[in-house]
Amino acid sequence: MLDSTVVTTALPTMATDLGADPVRLNIVITSYLLAVAVFVPISGWAADRYGARRVFIAAIALFTLSSLTCALSTTLTQLVLSRIVQGIGGAMMVPVGRIILLRTIPKHDLLKAMAFLSMPALIGPMAGPPLGGFLVTYASWHWIFLINLPIGLLGIWMILRFVRELPNDHQARPLDWLGFVLSALCMATLVAGFESLGQGGPSIAVAAALIATGLISGALYYWHSQHHPDPILDLSLLKIHTFRVSTIAGNLCRFGVGAVPYLLALMLQIGFGLSALSAGLITFAGAVGALAMKMAAPRILDRWGYRRVLTVNAIFTGVSLASCAFFTASTPAVVMIGVLLFGGFFRSLQFTAINTLAYADITQASMSRASSFAAMGQQLGVSLGVGVAAEALHLSMLWRGSSQLIAADVVVGFVVIGVLSALPSFAFWRLPPDAGESLRQNRSR
């Protein structure tokens, strides 16, 4: 989380140093997110086969080493390749940590545990923007990757010291290699094709070919999963209403996770001419709002229920994102901070609800697969959110007949992301009134 937010703040400076277009540099974010989405399905199998503790250590070691190669990169190609390797390590960390929690926490305590677990992770978004701005302004962008080295070493030591192997680790479940190849090809080509539409580089024919390949691969995987006894992605989980809504509709809400920091960095630094440090300090407000909500989310969901909270809060989330479109160079910083503060508040509540509702009706035996499936969808949603934002910027620039990004182009991106984040409200309203009842503390009242 620290790595992602630091990179977003530093994008304009990195673009200048690497001689790349700032809009095109969103590939530094999406290449990491896409690698995570592609390799997340293996995480559940790896945790079952080799043990969560061992996989956790290997993942952090790979992430730390690839952070060093990111810092040593001198071209955009080298940086993107390093970010892909970094994504492979990141793909194993969050799902495996969540598997440990899901296997050990009773469902009626899951909401409180998930909210508590996510609070330390919010230190990253809170510290990332100002830290990234400080490093870029007073040092260089290379240090945004070098700071991962001591954090990674500390993480490995803490796992060796505190994490125990789970009793049901080391299961001899074979890996579905064909399913992995088909699912990876599907996600990689779909996102790459969608990304190319917004970049203006590859031709429309190439983009269409990538998207067609993704759709065909997805259809082939569906057929494969129906005939394989142990598919890498268990599509039967989508028959569970709460899991299906959380995975599909919920991921539209996640479009803002990657898109908002990306759009804010471009608007504040390129559109308004602020320094990376000033932009980072303003962006900091969204994470503060998210942290504040984590303390209140369990009580709100316990009081009002999942269906009502998700339905109403989706609209609030979309409105808060679209409100950023009204920022101008003369908007007082305190106003921007206030909007981002409340936006972070609503988004945090939405993600807490979605992340816990997904496991409301999942059995303990299916927790590993459900965690891998959900984590893959989450990363894909974040990646597509950045792609949608980049395409909105590109189309706005084409409409103006200019190749130079201005603040008005970013306005279009905020409006598009805000509308898409509000759309899941219709799906949430169709949830049964008692959705997530097993997760609520007052269910016996």
Side-chain angles (χ1 to χ4, degrees), residues 21 40 52 59 61 70 86 107 112 140 146 171 188 298 322 327-329 343 345 357 386 399 407 420:
D21 184 352
V40 153
C70 285
Q86 202 177 35
K107 279 193 176 181
K112 187 181 297 184
S140 70
L146 293 174
Q171 300 176 3
F327 292 168
T328 66
F345 190 84
L357 181 64
V386 178
W399 179 266
L420 291 176

Side-chain angles (χ1 to χ4, degrees), residues 1-10 120-136 143-144 147-148 151 261 269 276-277 279-285 287-288:
M1 294 299 293
L2 178 67
D3 180 85
S4 298
T5 52
V6 168
V7 170
T8 301
T9 307
L122 289 171
I123 296 175
M126 290 176 63
L131 177 60
F134 176 83
L135 292 174
V136 170
W143 283 95
I144 66 178
I147 60 174
N148 290 337
I151 296 175
Q269 295 184 53
L277 179 58
L281 290 172
I282 292 175
T283 307
F284 177 84
V288 174

Side-chain angles (χ1 to χ4, degrees), residues 234-307:
D234 188 359
L235 298 182
S236 65
L237 292 171
L238 294 176
K239 296 178 181 178
I240 302 173
H241 192 189
T242 49
F243 185 82
R244 182 174 67 252
V245 171
S246 299
T247 302
I248 299 175
N251 281 338
L252 273 177
C253 299
R254 291 190 176 88
F255 273 30
V257 175
V260 171
Y262 169 67
L263 291 173
L264 281 174
L266 295 177
M267 173 179 275
L268 297 177
Q269 295 184 53
I270 296 179
F272 299 166
L274 297 180
S275 68
L277 179 58
S278 298
L281 290 172
I282 292 175
T283 307
F284 177 84
V288 174
L291 181 60
M293 170 51 76
K294 288 301 181 185
M295 303 175 185
R299 291 192 297 272
I300 293 174
L301 289 166
D302 193 49
R303 172 67 179 84
W304 299 104
Y306 278 81
R307 186 179 74 161

Side-chain angles (χ1 to χ4, degrees), residues 189-190 192-194 196-197 202-216:
T189 52
L190 281 177
F194 190 78
S196 66
L197 291 176
S203 65
I204 298 298
V206 173
L210 288 170
I211 293 174
T213 302
L215 294 175
I216 294 172

